[in-house]
Amino acid sequence: MGRIGTVIALVLVVYSCYFPGSHTEITAAQEAVITTALSGFDTAGIQSVIQYIDNRYGVWGARYATNSNIINYQNYLTGLFTSYGYTDITLQQVQCNDPGYTSAPGPLYMNNIIVVKDGAGPPVVVIAHWDSVPNCPAIDDNFSGCAGVLEIARLAYSLNFENRLVFILFGFEEESLLGSSLYADTMSERPKSVINLEMIGFTSPKENPYPGTDLLMGFPTTGDFVGVFATDFSETLGLNFIYAVDTFVPDLKYYFMITDQNFGNNPLLSLLMRSDHTSFWEKKVPALLVTDTAELRDGAVYHQTSDNYLSFDPVFHERITRAAFAALCIEAGIQP
Ligand SMILES: [Zn+2]
């Protein structure tokens, strides 16, 4: 386990003694394939995609459904998946009847973008939402997650896995998780596991305590870690993510928590239940929230016009994306 990981994990073992799980073992050959794949990480490419989206804000506007230019963003995103080689790309229309971020009447419409890489076993799914609130470039919340999904999909395209892979960019996360709820309610196959990349690009010298986090021993006070949140029925997935960090991205600091199903007594409840992984937790599908907890950080740009590339941390973002890719490989049974 990583430096900071060890300290907190010790605490968590105490905290989560109900769930004595362990991570999935991988072979040396699998580890070598992951390492080789990560050596192809396209840092310049993914940063130019993020900068392009930041630049488009001034031309196309926000990724909110009242904006008719939203189709340009959708076409750009599906175009990227196509450029990586993917052909199984579908759009699932989501309807929002009672929008909360605009006085404009519903219904509003937006699409979930669903990309499949075929494989035998139940799907391992990596998700992020591509919508934003109005009047916000939304680079951390949540184009950072979208960029993570894109680069992971690009790296995974030429590799082989036991399990099917599904990459989803959800619409209407900001509107009561409508996109992921619709998907979870209508999915033809129950996923093996889901990794949610929700704000993975913002760091700060100071992490402010969240009501109750003082109860959580070891909750970091420096805003340079990634929060990794699992439920008890998602424990193996969580341990695989932490194992991936320690093995492939040891410079990434993390805070790992396994919370039992009784969310009621968890001080981070509202933080934990506010993104698309929740739609899968509600179906008891193993799912993981991976987030920078941006709202808790000094200088937070959350839902503000300052949530742009200037406040973005590309090194931090790359480390999380690398870790999520490695975790996906472990979860989906990468074939040497
Ligand atoms: Zn978000």
Side-chain angles (χ1 to χ4, degrees), residues 129 141-142 173-174 198-199:
H129 69 93
D141 187 14
N142 187 35
E173 184 271 351
E174 301 288 0
E198 172 60 270
M199 303 195 293

Side-chain angles (χ1 to χ4, degrees), residues 74-264:
Q74 181 183 289
N75 292 341
Y76 177 70
L77 292 168
T78 53
L80 284 173
F81 283 115
T82 304
S83 73
Y84 303 154
Y86 291 95
T87 53
D88 189 343
I89 302 173
T90 55
L91 301 176
Q92 180 183 36
Q93 187 182 63
V94 189
Q95 181 171 329
C96 174
N97 294 321
D98 186 19
Y101 280 100
T102 175
S103 56
L108 301 177
Y109 297 93
M110 209 177 165
N111 290 315
N112 291 334
I113 300 168
I114 303 163
V115 180
V116 176
K117 177 178 167 58
D118 224 353
V124 176
V125 188
V126 187
I127 66 174
H129 69 93
W130 71 281
D131 68 310
S132 76
V133 295
N135 311 313
C136 177
I139 294 303
D140 186 44
D141 187 14
N142 187 35
F143 195 75
S144 62
C146 298
V149 171
L150 287 162
E151 182 60 10
I152 291 167
R154 192 190 67 79
L155 289 168
Y157 182 75
S158 57
L159 301 171
N160 299 309
F161 300 87
E162 270 173 40
N163 295 69
R164 179 176 307 114
L165 305 183
V166 180
F167 303 101
I168 311 177
L169 301 181
F170 283 119
F172 286 136
E173 184 271 351
E174 301 288 0
E175 294 286 0
S176 312
L177 313 181
L178 287 172
S180 57
S181 308
L182 175 69
Y183 181 84
D185 288 343
T186 58
M187 58 191 174
S188 56
E189 188 177 12
R190 188 181 168 80
K192 174 187 178 191
S193 53
V194 177
I195 299 173
N196 181 20
L197 304 180
E198 172 60 270
M199 303 195 293
I200 56 167
F202 184 77
T203 53
S204 160
K206 187 164 181 298
E207 181 88 8
N208 297 304
Y210 185 80
T213 51
D214 48 334
L215 298 171
L216 298 169
M217 284 181 283
F219 196 77
T221 56
T222 308
D224 60 354
F225 67 94
V226 64
V228 181
F229 301 100
T231 50
D232 49 358
F233 55 85
S234 316
E235 184 193 10
T236 303
L237 171 62
L239 292 169
N240 283 345
F241 193 96
I242 298 306
Y243 177 70
V245 177
D246 292 328
T247 308
F248 299 99
V249 200
D251 291 338
L252 177 60
K253 292 181 182 176
Y254 58 83
Y255 178 83
F256 177 42
M257 169 190 278
I258 299 174
T259 181
D260 62 24
Q261 295 174 30
N262 181 6
F263 295 118

